[in-house]
Structure formats: structure tokens, C-alpha cells
Amino acid sequence: KILATAEKIFGEKGYFETSVAEITLRTGVAQGTFYNYFPSKKAVFDCLIREMSSNLRYSIKQAMEGYETFEEKQRAGYFAFFKWVLEHRDLYSIMQHSVFVDRALYRWYYEKLASGFVRAIKDAIDTGDCKPLNPETVAYCMMGIGQFIGMRWVLWEGEIVPDDVFDEAMEVIFYGINMKR
């Protein structure tokens, strides 16, 4: 309950404008109860980012199960990302604030996401489903597409990414923008 409330307030106000008192007031718990779980505002912020990262990555992993090809799995993973972020829209602002609060945690978050992409891309290179490019470069390119497409529709419009936009983003990811295929 404390984490869910902290997610909402950090998303609305940012880290620096959020207080433990406001988190406890909106949660409906005493400050002493808060401190039984978290020694500081920073600790709840760190826990929130780690928890959100874990939940997001688990949702993506679950969505990809049952699919065979690299493209099918990635499509399912992107859709799961957009769906999860729609339910946790504050993730965008929380992550943007985290670069000012704790650069190491900010970096950890994105490196953790990238590591899953890198593994999948290495496997896809091995099976011939992906060009033999640097997996880390490809991972960060793919993450950037997801990040900004999600920001544009999920964060700004408050809706799931439209089907045509999703299909075009997948087209760019899997086939590029070159007219020659």
C-alpha cells in the first residue's frame, strides 16, 4: 500500500517535492509504520523503482511465453510493455526524476531492461532471425522505439498504442525503413 501510494505521489510531484508525511497521510498509515518498512524517502523510492522494474520485466516475460519466433516474442513483449505502462503511467516521470536522484539506479533500471533484449538478440543472431549486429546497440535502439512510442500514446494520450502505430513500429524494428528488402 505504501509503494502504490508512493508511486502515485512521486509520479505526480516528483521525488524532491514528495514528503514521507504526504505518503503516510495518503496511505492512511502513521509515519512510524512507514519507517518500519523503509528507513527513508530515498529507500521507498529505490524500492519502488526496483519493484516496478521487476514487475514490468515479469509481465513482458510472461507475455512472450508460448511464442516461437523472435519477431512473435518481441511483438508480444512490446504489447505487454505498452499495456503495463498504461496501468503504471507514472513510471515515465519517476524514471525521469531518478536521473537526478540516483544516477546509478537510473542506469541500473535501463541496463536491466537491456540485458533481456541483449539475450534475446544474441539468440536471434544464432538462429538467423537477426542480422549479426552488436546486440547491445540493437537492444538500446529497440528500447528507444518502445520508450518513445509509449510516451507518445500511453503517457500523453492515456491510451494503448493504436494498432496501426504498433504495426508500423514493428515494421521499423524488424524490416527497417529502407525501401529495398
Side-chain angles (χ1 to χ4, degrees):
K1 196 172 175 184
I2 292 170
L3 281 175
T5 302
E7 177 183 342
K8 199 81 195 139
I9 299 171
F10 284 134
E12 291 168 5
K13 299 178 101 176
Y15 177 82
F16 296 106
E17 297 300 317
T18 298
S19 68
V20 169
E22 185 173 8
I23 294 170
T24 59
L25 181 65
R26 284 180 52 182
T27 304
V29 300
Q31 284 192 25
T33 302
F34 175 92
Y35 289 111
N36 283 336
Y37 294 97
F38 304 101
S40 65
K41 176 174 78 168
K42 175 71 165 62
V44 75
F45 187 79
D46 292 356
C47 182
L48 177 62
I49 288 176
R50 292 183 187 283
E51 184 80 16
M52 290 176 83
S53 171
S54 177
N55 291 343
L56 171 60
R57 289 180 288 107
Y58 181 75
S59 292
I60 292 169
K61 181 180 177 188
Q62 289 295 109
M64 294 169 84
E65 287 183 3
Y67 290 98
E68 296 298 318
T69 70
F70 175 68
E71 184 174 342
E72 290 171 336
K73 288 179 181 183
Q74 293 306 309
R75 284 177 174 273
Y78 275 100
F79 187 78
F81 169 77
F82 297 135
K83 184 178 172 189
W84 191 91
V85 172
L86 184 61
E87 296 168 10
H88 300 273
R89 290 174 56 203
D90 293 320
L91 174 68
Y92 278 100
S93 60
I94 291 168
M95 287 313 304
Q96 293 309 309
H97 285 116
S98 73
V99 73
F100 301 109
V101 177
D102 186 337
R103 282 184 180 259
L105 184 61
Y106 177 82
R107 183 174 177 162
W108 172 87
Y109 173 83
Y110 286 106
E111 286 177 341
K112 197 76 171 162
L113 277 177
S115 68
F117 275 101
V118 167
R119 279 192 305 277
I121 293 161
K122 284 180 179 177
D123 290 345
I125 289 169
D126 290 345
T127 61
D129 289 328
C130 185
K131 292 178 186 175
L133 301 170
N134 180 308
E136 187 175 17
T137 302
V138 175
Y140 279 91
C141 288
M142 291 174 72
M143 287 169 49
I145 291 170
Q147 175 81 2
F148 283 95
I149 293 292
M151 190 182 319
R152 167 61 181 86
W153 277 273
V154 177
L155 180 63
W156 296 349
E157 303 301 329
E159 63 184 44
I160 198 68
V161 174
D163 290 342
D164 62 322
V165 172
F166 184 86
D167 290 341
E168 286 177 356
M170 295 302 105
E171 177 75 16
V172 169
I173 289 169
F174 295 108
Y175 305 106
I177 60 173
N178 190 339
M179 292 292 291
K180 300 174 188 174
R181 289 210 295 187

